[in-house]
Amino acid sequence: MKKELSRRDFLKSAGLIGLGAGTLLSTVPWMEALADENTKKTIGEKVRIGIIGPGSRGRFLMNLIKKNPKAEMVAICDIYQPSIDKALKIAPKAKVYNDYRKLLEDKEVDAVVIATPLYRHYQMAMDSLDAGKDLFCEKSLSYTIAQCYDVYQKYKSTGRIFFVGQQRLFDPRYLKAMEMIHSGMFGEIQAVRAFWFRNGSWRNNVPDPSLERQLNWRLYKEYSRGLMTELGGHLLQVGTWAMQKLPETVMGAGGLTYWKDGREVDDNVSCIFSMDDGRRITYESVISNKFYGLEEQIMGNLGTVEPEKGMYYFEDGTVNGVTPKPAAGFMQMMKDVQNQVFEKLPFAGTSWEPEVAKDVKGNYIMGEDYKINTDGSQELINAFVEAVITQKQPERIAEECYYASAMVLLGYDAIEQGKKLTFPHEYRLNYLNHKHQAK
Amino acid sequence: MRPFEHIFKEIDKDRGLLYAWFAAMHSRVDIVICDKCENDMLAVTGKIYERIAQLEKLANFYDPHSELTKLNEVPAGVQTEVGEELLSMLYLSMRYNELTDGRFDVCVKSDGYTGGMWGNVEIDLEGGTITKQRYGIRFDLSGFLKGYALDQARNILTGYAVSDVLLSIGNSSVLALGNHPFGDGWRVSYPESDDSNIEIDLHDECLTTSGNANSERRHIVNPVSGALIEGEGRISVVTRGGAEGEALSTAMFVERGAGEREAILGRFRRARLLDTMN
């Protein structure tokens, strides 16, 4: 029997039920925003949100916001009428703006959600924070690592609430997996092999050729950093979350190998991020083959986790350190004894061989009956709403989000320059193993 | 919650049979105990589990935090204090190296291994120290630890006055004490060839097997050549103790000469070599 994941189940899975806010797992302090004892205090409050860029992703977020009784969408801003029309179906009472700066002047807007093409994020984010609005920006945060750093500093100086759309931070599978990883169940994480493979053009249908670059902005370098910024940030953030370590260097390579349709961004990329102790996170994306799909393979010396699949595996083929099955020979002997039979035990021989990868069935992170009904996006939005109401920025979320974007942009630079790049010290935060050094 | 799974069956009003199993030493452990009280059997199984976990923590070659790894990382010429148990295991390993004419050698993973490494190791039992006099000497107790653990389990069982037990660590290291509930000793079988098995009755002794389960799985280094032993094959020995069983079975698998084998075997009291695939 499949079971749905209720909100209470979700919180329970994240260790939030029965715990005070102060007893949260040290590696997921941002979950404090959703602790029962905190959300109860904000019942009846209402956050007024403006949506900048209600395109397909923007409307996806709008539908999540609509489900939160503590939020209402009071304004939208776009220059493409079909998007405005669709957005108004979700938020019929929202005021419509064609210039985001006008939306930012609206005193009835407490917070903004930015879901525009990547190259617009920077100025919009900076202006939003300057205007005193709390900010939820879709990933990646900005078009360059320097811009990301500026936005992060602006967040610090203004003291506004600041989230980026890294929903895995709230995905129950990932939260549970990280709890296991950080407990040492899989030993020290040696490597993370992250990949996102698709087979599709990644192209939107365009009603008029003049709209090609506007609607297919992801395909052009002027507006987008391609597969790095659009897909890589989720996976790399999982990698550093698992390792609790940030990279020193990155190497990369990429190419346009299949979708040669006039686009400019690569359709085939690969990056290697190296830690100061030699451990690595690799990221690959190809959009002309989907066989291996999407995964972050988190590899410790004792086991492996595949959070997307919701599975984990031990090197010795055990579950929670306990051999999953009794040995057949011994079980037979238990039966023989009941029948008062003295028989041989057919088990002795060379060392018992653990299951090898092709045979290992693995163990379920959330239990066999778990049915995925959230990827963390709803909870991410809910946490943002709670933070805006309480004006309390959850710990570490800004830093996790900053680095997710900074890493993909550094990887992009490595691919473009064909060089091994060191993470610039001037763009490091004082976070985990990184220390900021002014240039 | 217990760190092992178990099944209990009542045999009659005076006796029951407990079967427990758990993972340890990168392998599995299976234990069958016949005794009076289920709780006592669970308690002794718990003690054995703890002891095996303790040994693994102490002497796991692959654990960067084990005492063994720390010793392996000490450079040559440095006199190093070593805990009593690790010292004892290494001293025993050295003695078995001598008794097997070097065919059993826990130093085979040393840098530039050439055999005769023990000549460059000073063990001071009274002072509790070890000094490696040559660069790159590393001890790997992986091929010794299971047997040593059997001996430690035997001590625990004796302490609890439990006398009828069959304990297997990874199928290749087996301790049989006392009797099956309806038999004399414990009867186990092991493969003679691909399609036939040999049965053996064990009486207060250990059955230890060394070999390659298949041609792909090579893991035993020949200390004479320094190379992994190729090909499928296995050999089993019956000994009084588990640690000596590990040393002898490895030596017998490595040494193929009949005369040499006989000479080595003769140095282990009450040891028997079983005719297996080799």
Side-chain angles (χ1 to χ4, degrees):
Chain A
M1 189 178 73
K2 299 287 182 189
K3 68 181 177 190
E4 294 288 327
L5 185 79
S6 68
R7 181 175 173 278
R8 192 171 172 81
D9 287 336
F10 171 79
L11 295 173
K12 190 178 177 185
S13 73
L16 289 173
I17 282 185
L19 295 177
T23 56
L24 294 173
L25 294 171
S26 60
T27 51
V28 289
W30 54 86
M31 293 302 295
E32 184 179 351
L34 296 179
D36 269 359
E37 64 189 55
N38 292 331
T39 56
K40 279 178 189 164
K41 291 177 190 165
T42 57
I43 291 172
E45 300 277 355
K46 206 77 152 176
V47 170
R48 299 168 299 178
I49 298 177
I51 312 297
I52 303 175
S56 60
R57 184 66 189 177
R59 293 195 299 277
F60 171 79
L61 296 172
M62 287 178 74
N63 280 314
L64 300 176
I65 294 166
K66 195 176 180 182
K67 289 180 187 168
N68 188 321
K70 297 176 187 174
E72 63 178 321
M73 289 168 282
V74 296
I76 58 171
C77 176
D78 209 304
I79 54 171
Y80 187 55
Q81 193 58 42
S83 290
I84 294 170
D85 294 341
K86 289 176 186 171
L88 284 172
K89 288 181 181 169
I90 302 169
K93 294 179 183 172
K95 281 183 275 185
V96 177
Y97 292 96
N98 297 120
D99 183 337
Y100 78 92
R101 287 166 297 194
K102 296 293 180 193
L103 183 147
L104 295 179
E105 287 171 9
D106 190 333
K107 301 290 183 206
E108 290 185 4
V109 174
D110 301 316
V112 295
V113 169
I114 297 175
T116 55
L118 178 70
Y119 78 110
R120 301 299 306 274
H121 286 186
Y122 173 65
Q123 200 56 53
M124 289 174 169
M126 294 293 279
D127 289 346
S128 298
L129 292 167
D130 273 336
K133 310 297 184 189
D134 294 318
L135 171 64
F136 181 106
C137 185
E138 253 309 329
K139 57 84 195 155
S140 291
L141 176 55
S142 288
Y143 186 71
T144 68
I145 193 169
Q147 290 177 348
C148 291
Y149 189 74
D150 277 357
V151 175
Y152 178 82
Q153 290 305 324
K154 182 65 74 177
Y155 140 70
K156 294 295 277 186
S157 65
T158 58
R160 304 311 311 176
I161 300 300
F162 169 52
F163 277 51
V164 181
Q166 301 287 153
Q167 65 265 21
R168 277 171 174 71
L169 290 165
F170 290 86
D171 186 324
R173 289 170 300 166
Y174 285 83
L175 289 163
K176 189 71 186 170
M178 291 301 165
E179 183 186 351
M180 292 174 174
I181 291 165
H182 297 146
S183 76
M185 266 174 71
F186 308 105
E188 187 181 44
I189 301 307
Q190 302 298 312
V192 176
R193 196 166 65 172
F195 49 82
W196 199 328
F197 299 121
R198 292 173 167 178
N199 198 340
S201 71
W202 211 26
R203 171 177 284 287
N204 291 316
N205 289 326
V206 179
D208 184 315
S210 66
L211 295 172
E212 162 64 15
R213 293 176 79 85
Q214 190 180 338
L215 296 182
N216 280 315
W217 58 271
R218 286 184 183 84
L219 308 182
Y220 299 97
K221 289 184 177 179
E222 187 182 351
Y223 316 117
S224 163
R225 302 300 205 185
L227 295 172
M228 291 305 296
T229 48
E230 295 308 310
L231 301 181
H234 291 304
L235 285 65
L236 291 170
Q237 187 272 327
V238 169
T240 53
W241 186 10
M243 285 190 172
Q244 289 293 287
K245 193 146 194 174
L246 297 161
E248 284 297 306
T249 61
V250 59
M251 292 185 284
L256 185 55
T257 60
Y258 185 80
W259 297 103
K260 298 174 183 176
D261 55 2
R263 73 184 61 196
E264 296 165 2
V265 300
D266 293 340
D267 60 2
N268 187 331
V269 297
S270 182
C271 280
I272 303 172
F273 293 83
S274 297
M275 309 294 161
D276 56 5
D277 54 8
R279 293 184 292 148
R280 295 183 319 284
I281 301 172
T282 60
Y283 165 65
E284 277 185 281
S285 187
V286 175
I287 53 170
S288 52
N289 181 301
K290 65 181 179 185
F291 185 75
Y292 290 104
L294 159 65
E295 192 55 84
E296 301 99 352
Q297 297 171 330
I298 301 166
M299 299 183 282
N301 58 303
L302 300 179
T304 301
V305 186
E306 294 185 325
E308 250 330 291
K309 207 179 282 178
M311 304 295 290
Y312 62 91
Y313 318 85
F314 286 107
E315 289 288 287
D316 59 4
T318 62
V319 179
N320 293 331
V322 177
T323 309
K325 291 177 188 170
F330 283 84
M331 290 302 286
Q332 184 59 47
M333 192 196 69
M334 297 297 280
K335 286 181 188 170
D336 291 344
V337 166
Q338 285 214 306
N339 297 323
Q340 301 195 1
V341 172
F342 177 42
E343 253 299 348
K344 64 180 183 291
L345 269 91
F347 72 91
T350 49
S351 296
W352 177 74
E353 286 183 72
E355 293 171 276
V356 293
K358 66 183 189 314
D359 299 324
V360 172
K361 293 184 179 66
N363 315 291
Y364 296 91
I365 292 171
M366 302 293 287
E368 192 170 358
D369 294 335
Y370 175 67
K371 183 182 175 186
I372 299 169
N373 73 344
T374 178
D375 66 351
S377 295
Q378 182 69 60
E379 290 73 22
L380 174 65
I381 287 291
N382 293 349
F384 176 67
V385 168
E386 294 293 335
V388 173
I389 292 171
T390 60
Q391 282 299 293
K392 192 176 175 190
Q393 171 77 17
E395 282 180 41
R396 295 182 61 170
I397 199 161
E399 291 74 20
E400 288 289 324
C401 292
Y402 167 78
Y403 270 106
S405 293
M407 283 190 290
V408 292
L409 289 163
L410 196 64
Y412 177 84
D413 289 345
I415 292 171
E416 288 293 300
Q417 296 174 31
K419 287 181 184 170
K420 180 179 181 180
L421 299 180
T422 298
F423 201 111
H425 286 81
E426 65 270 28
Y427 297 136
R428 297 182 185 204
L429 308 179
N430 290 319
Y431 187 57
L432 297 177
N433 55 307
H434 271 195
K435 294 282 177 283
H436 176 73
Q437 286 176 24
K439 200 169 185 179
Chain B
M1 195 177 125
R2 291 188 182 88
F4 54 85
E5 301 284 345
H6 75 279
I7 296 168
F8 176 78
K9 300 274 188 193
E10 194 175 276
I11 300 170
D12 52 42
K13 66 181 175 58
D14 295 323
R15 293 184 305 167
L17 195 67
L18 180 92
Y19 168 40
W21 65 96
F22 55 88
M25 296 185 172
H26 302 293
S27 191
R28 61 177 299 144
V29 176
D30 297 278
I31 180 166
V32 173
I33 304 175
C34 178
D35 208 57
K36 293 172 188 168
C37 172
E38 182 184 0
N39 285 338
D40 288 351
M41 289 188 269
L42 287 170
V44 77
T45 303
K47 290 290 176 195
I48 289 170
Y49 172 86
E50 286 171 15
R51 188 75 177 101
I52 289 175
Q54 183 187 26
L55 291 174
E56 192 171 10
K57 200 171 174 186
L58 179 79
N60 183 348
F61 182 76
Y62 301 99
D63 178 358
H65 306 297
S66 73
E67 190 183 353
L68 181 71
T69 301
K70 286 173 186 162
L71 174 64
N72 283 337
E73 288 170 354
V74 173
V78 178
Q79 189 178 46
T80 311
E81 282 191 26
V82 177
E84 196 176 333
E85 179 130 47
L86 184 58
L87 196 71
S88 166
M89 282 193 267
L90 289 169
Y91 181 75
L92 269 175
S93 299
M94 186 179 71
R95 287 285 300 131
Y96 289 134
N97 179 258
E98 292 166 10
L99 288 172
T100 59
D101 295 333
R103 300 315 188 253
F104 170 78
D105 194 348
V106 299
C107 299
V108 287
K109 291 198 178 147
S110 300
D111 294 341
Y113 177 78
T114 55
M117 286 286 183
W118 283 105
N120 298 301
V121 178
E122 290 174 11
I123 297 183
D124 178 358
L125 286 176
E126 286 190 8
T129 64
I130 287 184
T131 311
K132 298 182 283 184
Q133 296 293 12
R134 181 191 178 283
Y135 164 80
I137 292 180
R138 277 198 292 272
F139 308 106
D140 179 3
L141 292 171
S142 305
F144 171 81
L145 210 51
K146 289 177 190 165
Y148 183 85
L150 287 184
D151 295 337
Q152 298 305 304
R154 183 182 215 151
N155 292 342
I156 291 168
L157 291 161
T158 304
Y160 274 76
V162 174
S163 54
D164 299 317
V165 177
L166 187 70
L167 170 60
S168 160
I169 304 183
N171 298 349
S172 60
S173 305
V174 180
L175 167 68
L177 294 178
N179 301 310
H180 181 281
F182 300 103
D184 182 16
W186 294 87
R187 183 168 297 160
V188 301
S189 71
Y190 59 91
E192 180 193 30
S193 64
D194 287 340
D195 54 7
S196 68
N197 291 326
I198 285 181
E199 289 180 18
I200 179 172
D201 287 348
L202 297 171
H203 300 275
D204 296 327
E205 52 202 355
C206 293
L207 172 67
T208 312
T209 303
S210 289
N212 297 329
N214 53 58
S215 54
E216 284 83 36
R217 193 165 185 267
R218 304 166 304 155
H219 64 113
I220 298 173
V221 175
N222 183 338
V224 179
S225 65
L228 285 164
I229 297 176
E230 301 281 347
E232 187 179 354
R234 63 189 78 97
I235 200 157
S236 299
V237 299
V238 176
T239 53
R240 290 181 307 164
E244 63 178 323
E246 299 291 349
L248 183 60
S249 64
T250 303
M252 294 290 103
F253 185 64
V254 167
E255 178 55 65
R256 307 297 166 101
E260 289 82 355
R261 275 184 173 176
E262 196 176 334
I264 293 169
L265 191 63
R267 295 172 199 146
F268 290 78
R269 284 180 56 204
R270 277 180 55 190
R272 304 178 341 251
L273 172 64
L274 304 177
D275 186 19
T276 48
M277 287 175 71
N278 196 208

